[in-house]
Structures are given as C-alpha cells and as structure tokens.
C-alpha cells in the first residue's frame, strides 16, 4: 500500500493518460476522501478517489485496446458538454475505456481506444514521435503538386502555434497523403490550407505500424499482442507486410 502520485493511480485504473489525469486534477474534478485534489497529491489503496463524484475503482482494470474506424461527426472525448455523439457511443461499455489522442469531429479513420493509461501516454507524448498517416482530399482549382507539398516537409511552414513539418507528403488523386510525427490540433488541415489547398475530407489510415486496412466505417476490433507490437514498433514490421498494407490503402483511397 505504498503511496503513489494521484495521476499515476488514475492512469493505472484506466481513467485517462497521466497527462489527461493531471488536467482533470487541475480542473478540480477529482476528490480524495471528500477533498478536492491538487497536483502533487499522493494516494494509497485505502483512499476514496472520485471523478465528478463517481467512485473510481483504483485497482488495475484489465488492459484492453481497440482500433475503431471513427465515423465523421463523432467527437473524440469521453464526455461532451453539448451532447454530441462521441466515439464511446460506438464501442462496447468497458470501464476505463478512453480515446487515445484526438481525431477531430469532421475527420474519420483509425482511432485507438484503451484502458491502458501507460499506452495512452506512450502514443500521445511528443517525445515518442509515433507516426500518424493521413489521406486528405482538397478543394481548389488544381490538386496539390509535389512542389506544393514540399513546403510541408522542408521546415519552412509556420502556423499560429509554431513551425510545422510533415515527415512525408505526396500527391494523390484530388489531394495528398501526409505523414506526421506529431499530433497538434487539426494540423494536417491547417498545413494544407496554409499552402492554398483547404481540406474537404480527411482520413487517418495508419498509426505507428497499425493500419486501417479493410475496416468499414464504425467497425472496431480488439488488438492482440501482435497488433500492439506492430503499433509500437513499426520498424519491426516485415517489409512485405508493410508494402502489402500500403498497396491496399492506395487501391482503396489513392
């Protein structure tokens, strides 16, 4: 029953990532033994911990992770003050299940959901640099050329929240394929709009070494150990499998 940081306990219980748990604490949403918690608080198994008044079972919940083909129109928050459809509405009811990062309401494609707070931290913290790959369809009199898209990868693009750089950007029919090593808010949309090609549709088809493949809109599946290995270690995915997945994406959305 050794003490540990409150945010670590919340993550271990599958409530949220440590970073998201810190935001909950700072917002005054967490109480410990009836008192509003503050950052830096430590807890033990004997403490009564609540989120928005609801008791949290702080024993570790089973670690499960899903991939979902998120439909457009769904928000990636566990709780929405406007009552909009959120991604948990598309999932089975599992205590502690939460989205890993964000995919904006108007976008679609591969979204991870998990009860594993440590996995959430690994996938969302910038220092880990997990790739996220997108297919964008754009508006305008002409589709983006490779010369246009080179502005996304050469390090010269500056958005209102700082410099932005894609790892890769190549033309596609009526748009582009764009790969990022970070995940700032609506980043692909803002980058393409900055070079004169506003996005009309955006789909995420890969995270790390995990691909959307042939999944249909609204479909979800639980990840097994092999899937998690591919997700976290894309460099270990055999080249033949990688090439086959890429061919499948090009055939479907190229």
């Amino acid at each position: 029953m050794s003490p540990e940081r409150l945010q670590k306990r919340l993550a271990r219980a599958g409530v949220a990532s440590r970073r998201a748990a810190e935001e909950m604490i700072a917002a005054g949403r967490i109480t410990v033994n009836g008192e509003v918690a503050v950052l830096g608080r430590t807890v033990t198994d004997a403490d009564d911990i609540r989120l928005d008044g609801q008791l949290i079972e702080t024993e570790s919940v089973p670690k499960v992770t899903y991939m979902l083909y998120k439909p457009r129109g769904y928000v990636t928050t566990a709780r929405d003050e406007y009552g909009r459809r959120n991604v948990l509405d598309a999932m089975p009811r599992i205590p502690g299940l939460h989205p890993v990062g964000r995919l904006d309401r108007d976008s679609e494609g591969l979204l991870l959901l998990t009860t594993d707070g440590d996995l959430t931290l690994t996938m969302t913290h910038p220092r880990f640099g997990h790739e996220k790959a997108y297919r964008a369809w754009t508006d305008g009199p002409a589709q983006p050329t490779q010369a246009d898209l080179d502005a996304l990868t050469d390090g010269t693009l500056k958005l209102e929240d700082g410099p932005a750089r894609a790892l890769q950007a190549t033309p596609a029919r009526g748009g582009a394929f764009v790969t990022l090593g970070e995940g700032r808010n609506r980043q692909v949309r803002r980058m393409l709009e900055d070079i004169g090609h506003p996005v009309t549709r955006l789909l995420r088809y890969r995270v790390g070494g995990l691909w959307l493949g042939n999944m249909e809109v609204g479909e979800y599946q639980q990840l097994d150990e092999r899937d998690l290995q591919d997700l976290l270690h894309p460099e270990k995915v055999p080249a033949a499998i990688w090439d086959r997945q890429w061919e499948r994406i090009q055939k479907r959305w190229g």
Side-chain angles (χ1 to χ4, degrees):
M1 198 187 292
S2 58
E4 66 180 335
R5 295 276 183 170
L6 176 57
Q7 61 266 34
K8 183 177 180 181
R9 179 61 61 92
L10 292 170
R12 190 158 59 83
V15 173
S17 69
R18 293 189 197 180
R19 185 166 55 178
E22 289 173 354
E23 293 173 357
M24 292 175 177
I25 296 167
R29 296 176 59 194
I30 308 294
T31 62
V32 178
N33 303 327
E35 298 179 351
V36 176
V38 296
L39 288 170
R41 176 71 187 259
T42 59
V43 294
T44 70
D45 292 340
D47 288 310
D48 179 298
I49 304 171
R50 295 176 183 263
L51 167 62
D52 299 329
Q54 293 291 115
L55 181 66
I56 294 170
E57 298 294 337
T58 55
E59 290 300 317
S60 296
V61 297
K63 292 182 178 181
V64 293
T65 302
Y66 291 85
M67 60 185 295
L68 165 72
Y69 186 148
K70 174 196 167 304
R72 280 177 282 182
Y74 282 68
V75 295
T76 45
T77 56
R79 183 174 94 150
D80 182 64
E81 59 183 302
Y82 302 109
R84 297 173 296 185
R85 293 175 298 179
N86 70 63
V87 291
L88 293 182
D89 295 332
M91 301 298 298
R93 302 296 180 189
I94 298 175
L97 191 69
H98 59 272
V100 178
R102 301 234 174 166
L103 192 58
D104 71 69
R105 182 187 180 190
D106 298 325
S107 298
E108 63 188 281
L110 200 164
L111 179 72
L112 299 171
L113 299 102
T114 189
T115 61
D116 186 348
D118 289 331
L119 177 66
T120 303
L121 177 64
T122 299
M123 294 306 302
T124 57
H125 198 287
R127 76 172 180 266
F128 294 105
H130 287 290
E131 292 184 0
K132 300 175 181 67
Y134 301 83
R135 168 62 158 106
W137 288 261
T138 59
D139 195 12
Q143 69 181 41
T145 65
Q146 187 61 62
D148 295 329
L149 296 171
D150 286 344
L152 305 187
T153 60
D154 65 12
T156 61
L157 192 65
K158 291 181 173 57
L159 303 177
E160 64 271 18
D161 54 354
R165 185 172 190 170
L167 299 177
Q168 187 175 15
T170 56
R173 187 173 60 252
F177 288 105
V178 180
T179 302
L180 300 181
E182 55 182 352
R184 286 145 61 182
N185 184 44
R186 299 175 70 86
Q187 185 172 345
V188 174
R189 292 180 181 274
R190 291 187 292 140
M191 291 174 76
L192 284 168
E193 184 170 7
D194 194 79
I195 64 169
H197 296 279
V199 173
T200 58
R201 180 186 176 191
L202 186 65
L203 176 143
R204 183 161 67 195
Y205 64 86
R206 178 173 64 84
V207 176
L210 192 67
W211 299 71
L212 190 61
N214 290 325
M215 291 182 70
E216 298 296 335
V217 177
E219 185 180 353
Y220 63 84
Q221 66 184 49
Q222 186 174 342
L223 303 190
D224 58 23
E225 287 300 319
R226 175 62 183 270
D227 295 326
L228 290 169
Q229 174 77 4
D230 291 348
L231 171 68
L232 295 168
H233 302 286
E235 73 281 359
K236 296 182 180 180
V237 176
I241 293 177
W242 193 276
D243 291 344
R244 188 159 61 246
Q245 291 282 16
W246 174 233
E247 289 172 6
R248 182 178 294 166
I249 295 299
Q250 287 183 304
K251 182 177 180 180
R252 186 173 183 185
W253 287 299

